[in-house]
Amino acid sequence: MLMQRNAVWLPWLAIFASVLFLGLGTSWAKHSLFPAVGAQGTTAVRVGFSALILLLLCRPWRWPLSAADRRAALLYGAALGLMNLSFYMALRTLPFGVAVAIEFSGPLAVAVWASRRPLDFVWVLLAVAGLGLLLPLGHAVSSLDPVGVLWAVLAAVCWASYILFGKRIGHLPVAHSVSLGLAMAALVVLPVGVVHAGSALLSPSVLLVGLGVAAVSSALPISLEMVALKRLPPQAFGIMLSMEPAVAAVLALLLLDEQLSAVQWLAIGLIVLASMGSALTASMATLVKEKSRSRADALQADFSAK
């Protein structure tokens, strides 16, 4: 009985740990690497080491790729690299939790766009309300840097593109697609980091911290997500992943002393609620379709028996 309970809770704990490690790694990067090599150098070190770790672990060269899969993998990796670069550029002037909340509008937009359910308009309104409270459109939120917001919005667009391109290689093993994607992402961001930070990237302290950040914010979360995805439906996975903006805001408060206003906390809460609601209604719709299909199959079998 105890083993069964542990098996039930394992995927949920894996997702929570994934979100937690991702937040810890990003907070560590902002605190320790930004002063030394800037956002561009931080992105290069993190993505470069992440790609190296996964290439060594997954060895994607063992599987051949078709020409179509190679093109899709290149686009997927380029979107991943630009997403990381844009997000770290946003972190230069935006609080961690705010940047994640804005970035989260990308996957939320993809989820809602793919749906035609009336209830999804409620989640759109919640997300728009949250973004409206965050974006520097009025005097109450004028403390947010407009350039930082634009970088976060670009990260959201890249995240949406990353999801769409990822679906094109969804038939490949996860380890294969992710390791190839990160390798391509590294090719995109490494030149930018080298131009910006130069020889500072080769500092032993930067390399050591960069390796740690890559392990904590990429290798561990991806491994934990793979454990969860094998045991949970995608919609349940999406609901748990929706915690990321809130977890990021709490970690930034505890580790980086980034204070948010009550309005900003409310905005993050609305975006989290919109993401969770979108994933939940998608889960319910999938369940209804499966039940309808099962009922139709049963009726067809009964008819055939008669």
Side-chain angles (χ1 to χ4, degrees):
M1 181 66 71
L2 181 60
M3 291 182 65
Q4 289 180 343
R5 289 180 179 177
N6 290 339
V8 170
W9 283 104
L10 178 62
W12 300 97
L13 291 174
I15 298 177
F16 180 76
S18 170
V19 172
L20 186 62
F21 278 124
L22 181 60
L24 287 171
T26 304
S27 299
W28 187 12
K30 184 171 182 178
H31 178 267
S32 301
L33 291 178
F34 270 40
V37 292
Q40 299 93 323
T42 299
T43 308
V45 171
R46 176 186 179 269
V47 175
F49 273 123
S50 298
L52 183 60
I53 291 171
L54 285 182
L55 285 173
L56 292 176
L57 290 176
C58 302
R59 294 174 291 170
W61 52 83
R62 294 178 297 170
W63 297 289
L65 283 178
S66 66
D69 286 342
R70 282 196 295 271
R71 287 193 296 270
L74 290 175
L75 292 171
Y76 168 77
L80 178 60
L82 290 174
M83 180 184 74
N84 277 276
L85 179 60
S86 302
F87 179 69
Y88 274 109
M89 294 295 285
L91 284 183
R92 294 180 305 170
T93 55
L94 293 185
F96 184 18
V98 171
V100 173
I102 295 173
E103 186 191 32
F104 233 75
S105 62
L108 179 58
V110 171
V112 172
W113 182 262
S115 172
R116 295 297 181 266
R117 294 179 296 271
L119 185 57
D120 283 325
F121 288 102
V122 175
W123 312 131
V124 172
L125 291 175
L126 284 176
V128 169
L131 289 172
L133 292 174
L134 283 179
L135 299 180
L137 303 175
H139 298 293
V141 288
S142 58
S143 58
L144 285 183
D145 174 48
V147 176
V149 169
L150 289 175
W151 279 115
V153 170
L154 178 58
V157 173
C158 291
W159 195 348
S161 303
Y162 159 81
I163 293 172
L164 295 175
F165 291 135
K167 289 182 178 179
R168 297 186 185 180
I169 52 174
H171 57 282
L172 298 177
V174 175
H176 192 191
S177 58
V178 172
S179 56
L180 283 178
L182 273 170
M184 181 60 197
L187 293 178
V188 171
V189 301
L190 277 173
V192 179
V194 170
V195 169
H196 176 79
S199 60
L201 291 173
L202 300 178
S203 166
S205 60
V206 168
L207 292 175
L208 184 61
V209 173
L211 180 60
V213 166
V216 172
S217 62
S218 288
L220 277 175
I222 289 173
S223 300
L224 290 167
E225 287 175 8
M226 289 170 66
V227 170
L229 277 171
K230 291 180 180 179
R231 294 168 174 82
L232 286 178
Q235 292 79 14
F237 180 83
I239 292 170
M240 286 294 291
L241 203 62
S242 301
M243 299 184 304
E244 189 175 333
V247 171
V250 172
L251 288 176
L253 176 64
L254 296 176
L255 302 178
L256 302 175
D257 196 28
E258 292 182 350
Q259 305 288 333
L260 299 180
S261 67
V263 172
Q264 290 170 333
W265 279 110
L266 174 61
I268 290 173
L270 290 174
I271 292 172
V272 169
L273 184 59
S275 299
M276 293 180 69
S278 176
L280 182 60
T281 51
S283 177
M284 292 171 61
T286 301
L287 183 61
V288 169
K289 288 181 180 178
E290 289 177 352
K291 286 184 176 180
S292 299
R293 189 180 300 113
S294 298
R295 190 174 299 133
D297 291 343
L299 289 173
Q300 180 66 33
D302 184 57
F303 178 79
S304 300
K306 292 178 180 179

